[in-house]
Amino acid sequence: MIKVGDSLPTATLMEYSEVEGEGCSIGPNPVDVAKASAGKTIALFALPGAFTPTCSAKHVPGYVENQAALQAAGVDEIWCVSVNDAFVMGAWARDQKTAGKVRMLADGSADFAKATGLTLDLTARGMGLRSNRYSMLVKDGKVAALNVEGPGKFEVSDAATLLKQAQG
């Protein structure tokens, strides 16, 4: 499992863009994790799935609400990573009103989740291999803080906990 001090794994996530600009086409665009995190402080949180109850009611809204405070604490970007496709993440972004606040990044094949060692097997519930619920503070591609939830819990990966760590 990834730990504090480790570099983020080499992976490509996908991001749905609804508007054309800055060289991005409309639709899914690849996000090279190493390039996108280089020289930045990232508040990254991951969760089992888009549109799921805890994720939609608590996890994402907390980061949207705390975006300005996280930015004031030195966070350049907030990333939400989930094992869903880019189209689902795009629809969820619209639903959660994350535009300009949280980047909704798709890990469609769970490659990033597998590479971090933070997978959650929900096959018995018909959801397949997913990401565990966690948050991490990433500085220049390296993990500075890591908060992994226990099974079925939402206690340490919330925005308030990561904000305290960013304020350090």
Side-chain angles (χ1 to χ4, degrees):
M1 183 175 83
I2 198 168
K3 61 189 179 309
V4 171
D6 288 351
S7 293
L8 290 179
T10 301
T12 300
L13 299 170
M14 297 298 287
E15 183 173 33
Y16 187 82
S17 177
E18 293 196 36
V19 294
E20 212 166 344
E22 295 185 34
C24 294
S25 61
I26 295 173
N29 294 289
V31 176
D32 180 301
V33 170
K35 287 180 185 174
S37 63
K40 295 179 184 171
T41 297
I42 310 289
L44 185 155
F45 67 105
L47 32 82
F51 294 104
T52 55
T54 300
C55 304
S56 289
K58 296 177 183 173
H59 216 169
V60 174
Y63 281 91
V64 171
E65 291 164 13
N66 282 284
Q67 184 267 335
L70 283 159
Q71 190 174 24
V75 170
D76 297 300
E77 294 181 1
I78 302 169
W79 294 3
C80 173
V81 179
S82 184
V83 180
N84 291 102
D85 65 63
F87 297 101
V88 168
M89 293 300 281
W92 198 29
R94 284 189 300 280
D95 178 72
Q96 294 285 308
K97 298 174 178 49
T98 63
K101 296 183 177 184
V102 177
R103 293 182 75 178
M104 304 297 274
L105 302 173
D107 184 20
S109 299
D111 292 337
F112 185 78
K114 291 178 211 170
T116 62
L118 290 165
T119 57
L120 180 64
D121 189 350
L122 294 177
T123 304
R125 294 186 184 168
M127 294 174 66
L129 187 67
R130 296 289 173 147
S131 173
N132 200 350
R133 185 182 307 279
Y134 66 89
S135 67
M136 63 171 69
L137 189 64
V138 178
K139 295 185 178 188
D140 195 23
K142 291 194 183 302
V143 180
L146 178 62
N147 311 295
V148 182
E149 297 287 359
K153 301 288 184 186
F154 179 61
E155 300 169 341
V156 298
S157 63
D158 59 303
T161 298
L162 206 60
L163 175 59
K164 287 177 192 165
Q165 292 169 331
Q167 290 168 333

